[in-house]
Amino acid sequence: MTESLQPTPEFLKFAAGFHQDIFEIHDSPDETLETALNGLSNVERLSLRDFLESAIRSQLSDETLDALWKESKADFYLADPSQIRIFYQQIVDLVPTR
């Protein structure tokens, strides 16, 4: 795999739904992620899932994957880049398989 990963339009659309208080206005992290996923069509959700699964399995560093998130329009960031794969996996787990 290359040293970088290009974000998909679905990833950017999903990330744009995150603002700094998003986890404070929902009752649980899953509810927060589900709310953000509601902004995507079923096809977009599957594309996002595929992209994130690829990112999780990649040999890219946590810092590189964290930078991918930070370069999006998200206004929420993880304090510890080592948690990015776990965060991406939480998203993947909420998207039903084909």
PDB file of all heavy atoms in Angstrom, residues 9-22:
ATOM      1  N   PRO A   9     -15.187  10.539  -1.435  1.00  0.00           N
ATOM      2  CA  PRO A   9     -16.214  11.560  -1.201  1.00  0.00           C
ATOM      3  C   PRO A   9     -17.129  11.201  -0.024  1.00  0.00           C
ATOM      4  O   PRO A   9     -17.539  12.073   0.737  1.00  0.00           O
ATOM      5  CB  PRO A   9     -17.000  11.594  -2.520  1.00  0.00           C
ATOM      6  CG  PRO A   9     -16.038  11.092  -3.546  1.00  0.00           C
ATOM      7  CD  PRO A   9     -15.173  10.077  -2.830  1.00  0.00           C
ATOM      8  N   GLU A  10     -17.416   9.919   0.145  1.00  0.00           N
ATOM      9  CA  GLU A  10     -18.280   9.480   1.242  1.00  0.00           C
ATOM     10  C   GLU A  10     -17.612   9.707   2.599  1.00  0.00           C
ATOM     11  O   GLU A  10     -18.266  10.107   3.559  1.00  0.00           O
ATOM     12  CB  GLU A  10     -18.634   7.997   1.084  1.00  0.00           C
ATOM     13  CG  GLU A  10     -19.426   7.688  -0.154  1.00  0.00           C
ATOM     14  CD  GLU A  10     -18.591   7.550  -1.429  1.00  0.00           C
ATOM     15  OE1 GLU A  10     -17.346   7.505  -1.358  1.00  0.00           O
ATOM     16  OE2 GLU A  10     -19.198   7.482  -2.503  1.00  0.00           O
ATOM     17  N   PHE A  11     -16.329   9.456   2.654  1.00  0.00           N
ATOM     18  CA  PHE A  11     -15.575   9.694   3.890  1.00  0.00           C
ATOM     19  C   PHE A  11     -15.616  11.171   4.243  1.00  0.00           C
ATOM     20  O   PHE A  11     -15.878  11.544   5.387  1.00  0.00           O
ATOM     21  CB  PHE A  11     -14.131   9.219   3.721  1.00  0.00           C
ATOM     22  CG  PHE A  11     -13.250   9.521   4.898  1.00  0.00           C
ATOM     23  CD1 PHE A  11     -13.254   8.712   6.022  1.00  0.00           C
ATOM     24  CD2 PHE A  11     -12.393  10.615   4.883  1.00  0.00           C
ATOM     25  CE1 PHE A  11     -12.440   8.980   7.113  1.00  0.00           C
ATOM     26  CE2 PHE A  11     -11.571  10.891   5.965  1.00  0.00           C
ATOM     27  CZ  PHE A  11     -11.596  10.075   7.088  1.00  0.00           C
ATOM     28  N   LEU A  12     -15.377  12.019   3.258  1.00  0.00           N
ATOM     29  CA  LEU A  12     -15.379  13.465   3.501  1.00  0.00           C
ATOM     30  C   LEU A  12     -16.765  13.961   3.900  1.00  0.00           C
ATOM     31  O   LEU A  12     -16.896  14.795   4.796  1.00  0.00           O
ATOM     32  CB  LEU A  12     -14.863  14.205   2.262  1.00  0.00           C
ATOM     33  CG  LEU A  12     -13.402  13.934   1.910  1.00  0.00           C
ATOM     34  CD1 LEU A  12     -13.049  14.583   0.591  1.00  0.00           C
ATOM     35  CD2 LEU A  12     -12.470  14.388   3.030  1.00  0.00           C
ATOM     36  N   LYS A  13     -17.802  13.436   3.255  1.00  0.00           N
ATOM     37  CA  LYS A  13     -19.178  13.823   3.598  1.00  0.00           C
ATOM     38  C   LYS A  13     -19.508  13.398   5.023  1.00  0.00           C
ATOM     39  O   LYS A  13     -20.082  14.171   5.801  1.00  0.00           O
ATOM     40  CB  LYS A  13     -20.144  13.195   2.601  1.00  0.00           C
ATOM     41  CG  LYS A  13     -21.587  13.583   2.791  1.00  0.00           C
ATOM     42  CD  LYS A  13     -22.445  12.968   1.686  1.00  0.00           C
ATOM     43  CE  LYS A  13     -23.903  13.294   1.869  1.00  0.00           C
ATOM     44  NZ  LYS A  13     -24.725  12.685   0.795  1.00  0.00           N
ATOM     45  N   PHE A  14     -19.144  12.179   5.390  1.00  0.00           N
ATOM     46  CA  PHE A  14     -19.388  11.671   6.731  1.00  0.00           C
ATOM     47  C   PHE A  14     -18.642  12.510   7.766  1.00  0.00           C
ATOM     48  O   PHE A  14     -19.222  12.960   8.755  1.00  0.00           O
ATOM     49  CB  PHE A  14     -18.947  10.209   6.806  1.00  0.00           C
ATOM     50  CG  PHE A  14     -19.023   9.612   8.180  1.00  0.00           C
ATOM     51  CD1 PHE A  14     -20.235   9.240   8.714  1.00  0.00           C
ATOM     52  CD2 PHE A  14     -17.874   9.422   8.921  1.00  0.00           C
ATOM     53  CE1 PHE A  14     -20.311   8.677   9.992  1.00  0.00           C
ATOM     54  CE2 PHE A  14     -17.934   8.856  10.191  1.00  0.00           C
ATOM     55  CZ  PHE A  14     -19.155   8.496  10.722  1.00  0.00           C
ATOM     56  N   ALA A  15     -17.368  12.742   7.547  1.00  0.00           N
ATOM     57  CA  ALA A  15     -16.539  13.490   8.499  1.00  0.00           C
ATOM     58  C   ALA A  15     -17.032  14.917   8.683  1.00  0.00           C
ATOM     59  O   ALA A  15     -16.949  15.475   9.781  1.00  0.00           O
ATOM     60  CB  ALA A  15     -15.088  13.487   8.046  1.00  0.00           C
ATOM     61  N   ALA A  16     -17.579  15.504   7.632  1.00  0.00           N
ATOM     62  CA  ALA A  16     -18.066  16.882   7.713  1.00  0.00           C
ATOM     63  C   ALA A  16     -19.222  17.025   8.704  1.00  0.00           C
ATOM     64  O   ALA A  16     -19.501  18.127   9.181  1.00  0.00           O
ATOM     65  CB  ALA A  16     -18.489  17.375   6.335  1.00  0.00           C
ATOM     66  N   GLY A  17     -19.861  15.919   9.046  1.00  0.00           N
ATOM     67  CA  GLY A  17     -20.958  15.960   9.999  1.00  0.00           C
ATOM     68  C   GLY A  17     -20.522  16.039  11.455  1.00  0.00           C
ATOM     69  O   GLY A  17     -21.355  16.166  12.348  1.00  0.00           O
ATOM     70  N   PHE A  18     -19.229  15.993  11.699  1.00  0.00           N
ATOM     71  CA  PHE A  18     -18.722  16.008  13.070  1.00  0.00           C
ATOM     72  C   PHE A  18     -18.309  17.416  13.477  1.00  0.00           C
ATOM     73  O   PHE A  18     -17.465  18.033  12.839  1.00  0.00           O
ATOM     74  CB  PHE A  18     -17.519  15.067  13.210  1.00  0.00           C
ATOM     75  CG  PHE A  18     -17.919  13.635  13.282  1.00  0.00           C
ATOM     76  CD1 PHE A  18     -18.251  12.939  12.137  1.00  0.00           C
ATOM     77  CD2 PHE A  18     -17.992  12.985  14.498  1.00  0.00           C
ATOM     78  CE1 PHE A  18     -18.640  11.617  12.194  1.00  0.00           C
ATOM     79  CE2 PHE A  18     -18.378  11.658  14.570  1.00  0.00           C
ATOM     80  CZ  PHE A  18     -18.712  10.983  13.416  1.00  0.00           C
ATOM     81  N   HIS A  19     -18.923  17.907  14.541  1.00  0.00           N
ATOM     82  CA  HIS A  19     -18.550  19.199  15.111  1.00  0.00           C
ATOM     83  C   HIS A  19     -18.046  18.956  16.525  1.00  0.00           C
ATOM     84  O   HIS A  19     -18.202  17.862  17.083  1.00  0.00           O
ATOM     85  CB  HIS A  19     -19.726  20.182  15.078  1.00  0.00           C
ATOM     86  CG  HIS A  19     -20.976  19.639  15.692  1.00  0.00           C
ATOM     87  ND1 HIS A  19     -21.207  19.657  17.048  1.00  0.00           N
ATOM     88  CD2 HIS A  19     -22.042  19.032  15.130  1.00  0.00           C
ATOM     89  CE1 HIS A  19     -22.375  19.104  17.301  1.00  0.00           C
ATOM     90  NE2 HIS A  19     -22.906  18.711  16.153  1.00  0.00           N
ATOM     91  N   GLN A  20     -17.460  19.949  17.126  1.00  0.00           N
ATOM     92  CA  GLN A  20     -16.759  19.749  18.402  1.00  0.00           C
ATOM     93  C   GLN A  20     -17.650  19.265  19.541  1.00  0.00           C
ATOM     94  O   GLN A  20     -17.181  18.626  20.469  1.00  0.00           O
ATOM     95  CB  GLN A  20     -16.021  21.006  18.815  1.00  0.00           C
ATOM     96  CG  GLN A  20     -16.926  22.161  19.184  1.00  0.00           C
ATOM     97  CD  GLN A  20     -16.150  23.422  19.463  1.00  0.00           C
ATOM     98  OE1 GLN A  20     -15.129  23.679  18.853  1.00  0.00           O
ATOM     99  NE2 GLN A  20     -16.633  24.213  20.398  1.00  0.00           N
ATOM    100  N   ASP A  21     -18.938  19.509  19.485  1.00  0.00           N
ATOM    101  CA  ASP A  21     -19.835  19.098  20.568  1.00  0.00           C
ATOM    102  C   ASP A  21     -20.691  17.882  20.219  1.00  0.00           C
ATOM    103  O   ASP A  21     -21.596  17.533  20.978  1.00  0.00           O
ATOM    104  CB  ASP A  21     -20.765  20.261  20.947  1.00  0.00           C
ATOM    105  CG  ASP A  21     -19.999  21.460  21.465  1.00  0.00           C
ATOM    106  OD1 ASP A  21     -18.960  21.257  22.124  1.00  0.00           O
ATOM    107  OD2 ASP A  21     -20.433  22.593  21.207  1.00  0.00           O
ATOM    108  N   ILE A  22     -20.405  17.233  19.118  1.00  0.00           N
ATOM    109  CA  ILE A  22     -21.290  16.172  18.635  1.00  0.00           C
ATOM    110  C   ILE A  22     -21.483  15.045  19.640  1.00  0.00           C
ATOM    111  O   ILE A  22     -22.570  14.515  19.783  1.00  0.00           O
ATOM    112  CB  ILE A  22     -20.822  15.620  17.272  1.00  0.00           C
ATOM    113  CG1 ILE A  22     -21.944  14.776  16.653  1.00  0.00           C
ATOM    114  CG2 ILE A  22     -19.518  14.871  17.383  1.00  0.00           C
ATOM    115  CD1 ILE A  22     -21.769  14.491  15.189  1.00  0.00           C
TER     116      ILE A  22
END
